[in-house]
Amino acid sequence: MIRLIHTADWHLGQNFFGNDRTQEHEHFLTWMLAVIREQRPDALLIAGDVFDNANPPASAERLFWDFLDRLTSENPRLRVIITSGNHDSANRLSAPEAIYRRIGVQVRSSLPKNMKGHTDWESLCIPVSSIDNDTEEVVIVAVPFLRSDDYDFVESPAVSMRMFYETLLKNVSKRFPHLPVVLMAHYFAVGSKISQTEGNDYFTVGGQNAVDSSSLTERLTYGALGHIHHAQPVGGKENIWYSGSALPMSFMERDYHHGVNMVEIDGEASVKVSRILYEPLRSMMSIPGTGTASCEEVIRMLGQLPAEDKKDNKDTYPYLEVKVLEKIPDPQMVSAIQQAAAQRKVCLCRIERVRPQSEDMLSNNVVVTAEDIQKLVPAKIARDAYASVYGEEMPDELARMIAEVKRECETEAE
């Protein structure tokens, strides 16, 4: 049996409303070391977005390297495989290649090419054997985040990427006809569920980069995906999973269950996936839990929270957002809420002032799928955006102007 730990979307170096999250990420990585020590997996798969941006702070890189140093020292036979995500810099992530080789870590941060400039499919394949039995093997197909110039464009990014993966798996099947295949990838999969405000990072207009993974499932023993922060199997298929993010990245993710996937593979077709849950050092909370509340109600709810204790470690206080309904301008409102929150065991991050006409448009937990996104058209997006700001429908004249601009753009594209 081969045992893998699948994780992704660490986003080391994230700054959350001015709060440095180094201590939170250190807490997660310490927990990871304990899990690996206890579970003794054969490989650790990190499927992209190791860092939060292409130029992470030195503290984030130090945290990453300290983790790898302890990990490989404590687990010399563990295979560690890392692929890049859309937030990572491919060059920066792969720069210490000589050090990776020395400590037994393999990184695929950009698509390898052969002498003819074609994709080097073989370089993406990494055979992994059990630390207890060398005769038991799987092949890890480690694919970095794909950019538009990494694949041949056909009809859309989604179709092009699907064809890329189908071609890749055909090559893998020829070279490793009898081994279980585990695909590491970082993309937005059709059938995955996300909160509405997460969408900007995941899809383009019309959902044209949402990849349909249904054609891949029968060729895979397991799919280890990164990109979406909500841990979940994709499209009802229990062998393709997002492991979810290490920490909640926004208030919309406050109810997500964080952790890693333990994947046990016994033979080519037998796979068992179980979740190992992680409790972040800091939680997130909203007041009120849904919708909005008046300033008086917000202050009353804040008063019900535990009082601040000067002996506490404030770095463990939950992050807080407040959504207050502002019927008339109140210059004292923000100050009053800040003073009330300062006396409680919370870290106030933002106060969102909502006008009455936009309150009914406020939604905390709207879940959408790729199919929903594909139904969107630019004109509807523009109308919805106008309504959310001004609380009324877009004037006909403005709608006609937008339609004319769209037609001109399409004509120039032709």
Side-chain angles (χ1 to χ4, degrees):
M1 178 181 293
I2 303 290
R3 305 175 78 241
L4 313 170
I5 285 184
H6 165 208
T7 180
D9 297 282
W10 291 0
H11 289 272
L12 301 180
Q14 189 204 29
N15 188 287
F16 192 71
F17 291 93
N19 296 287
D20 184 348
R21 307 193 77 177
T22 300
Q23 190 173 358
E24 295 173 73
H25 279 115
E26 185 175 13
H27 184 269
F28 168 74
L29 294 177
T30 300
W31 173 83
M32 277 284 300
L33 289 170
V35 167
I36 291 170
R37 196 177 302 122
E38 178 183 348
Q39 298 294 331
R40 294 187 71 248
D42 301 302
L44 172 65
L45 312 182
I46 308 173
D49 281 357
V50 175
F51 297 104
D52 190 57
N53 57 63
N55 188 28
S59 57
E61 292 191 293
R62 184 180 305 113
L63 198 60
F64 177 59
W65 282 103
D66 285 349
F67 169 78
L68 288 182
D69 179 52
R70 287 189 59 188
L71 177 69
T72 53
S73 297
E74 294 178 9
N75 308 275
R77 297 197 64 188
L78 176 72
R79 301 294 296 275
V80 181
I81 302 172
I82 303 171
T83 53
S84 63
N86 57 305
H87 281 253
D88 297 312
S89 163
N91 292 334
R92 197 180 189 98
L93 191 61
S94 63
E97 187 176 347
I99 298 175
Y100 287 136
R101 285 198 300 270
R102 189 178 306 166
I103 62 177
V105 174
Q106 291 181 275
V107 175
R108 300 293 184 270
S109 62
S110 57
L111 203 62
K113 303 287 186 179
N114 58 27
M115 296 294 291
K116 295 182 179 180
H118 300 143
T119 301
D120 185 355
W121 306 109
E122 186 173 339
S123 294
L124 297 175
C125 300
I126 305 173
V128 169
S129 59
S130 167
I131 59 177
D132 297 321
N133 185 353
D134 289 340
T135 64
E136 294 183 291
E137 282 189 306
V138 300
V139 56
I140 309 296
V141 186
V143 183
F145 178 73
L146 298 179
R147 310 287 176 179
S148 58
D149 56 351
D150 286 329
Y151 49 80
D152 296 327
F153 188 85
V154 187
E155 299 174 14
S156 68
V159 173
S160 304
M161 287 176 65
R162 190 190 72 227
M163 292 181 66
F164 171 91
Y165 282 107
E166 288 178 350
T167 303
L168 167 62
L169 293 178
K170 286 179 182 177
N171 278 270
V172 174
S173 297
K174 290 179 181 178
R175 185 171 179 226
F176 302 94
H178 304 299
L179 286 186
V181 175
V182 175
L183 172 68
M184 289 178 67
H186 197 91
Y187 62 73
F188 177 38
V190 169
S192 52
K193 295 181 179 180
I194 59 174
S195 62
Q196 195 170 38
T197 57
E198 287 180 82
N200 291 339
D201 196 34
Y202 298 142
F203 45 72
T204 56
V205 173
Q208 291 299 300
N209 65 337
V211 180
D212 185 354
S213 300
S214 60
S215 62
L216 310 179
T217 55
E218 294 182 0
R219 302 180 185 182
L220 296 177
T221 304
Y222 181 74
L225 301 185
H227 198 33
I228 291 193
H229 298 167
H230 182 192
Q232 60 187 291
V234 175
K237 305 293 184 181
E238 290 296 327
N239 67 327
I240 297 185
W241 270 78
Y242 284 105
S243 62
S245 59
L247 306 177
M249 296 289 106
S250 73
F251 286 104
M252 290 299 299
E253 300 178 17
R254 65 182 183 273
D255 295 325
Y256 286 5
H257 298 293
H258 300 273
V260 298
N261 280 12
M262 169 57 73
V263 184
E264 297 175 301
I265 299 174
D266 189 5
E268 193 170 352
S270 176
V271 59
K272 177 184 175 183
V273 182
S274 55
R275 290 285 292 167
I276 302 176
L277 296 180
Y278 166 67
E279 186 68 33
L281 183 65
R282 278 187 159 180
S283 60
M284 294 192 180
M285 61 184 298
S286 298
I287 289 182
T290 59
T292 62
S294 66
C295 180
E296 293 75 16
E297 291 172 320
V298 166
I299 291 175
R300 178 183 60 79
M301 286 185 272
L302 286 170
Q304 296 174 346
L305 298 177
E308 180 187 17
D309 188 334
K310 296 190 181 298
K311 298 179 182 179
D312 286 340
N313 176 9
K314 294 184 179 180
D315 290 336
T316 64
Y317 283 1
Y319 293 122
L320 171 68
E321 69 168 351
V322 168
K323 295 181 179 179
V324 58
L325 181 61
E326 188 179 31
K327 294 183 178 179
I328 58 174
D330 182 359
Q332 304 300 321
M333 181 181 66
V334 171
S335 177
I337 293 174
Q338 288 173 334
Q339 291 180 22
Q343 303 171 32
R344 302 295 157 184
K345 292 186 176 183
V346 292
C347 174
L348 179 61
C349 292
R350 72 170 181 177
I351 300 172
E352 184 175 351
R353 304 161 78 162
V354 182
R355 297 175 181 176
Q357 64 265 27
S358 61
E359 186 187 19
D360 59 346
M361 301 172 191
L362 191 65
S363 174
N364 279 324
N365 290 299
V366 177
V367 174
V368 294
T369 65
E371 290 83 352
D372 297 324
I373 302 306
Q374 288 168 342
K375 296 176 183 177
L376 295 178
V377 294
K380 186 179 186 305
I381 295 173
R383 289 196 300 271
D384 290 346
Y386 184 94
S388 68
V389 174
Y390 297 102
E392 59 185 31
E393 291 187 5
M394 179 185 291
D396 292 340
E397 182 60 28
L398 181 56
R400 283 194 293 271
M401 291 173 62
I402 292 176
E404 181 60 31
V405 170
K406 178 177 178 293
R407 282 194 296 271
E408 290 182 3
C409 291
E410 291 173 344
T411 300
E412 291 181 3
E414 293 173 356

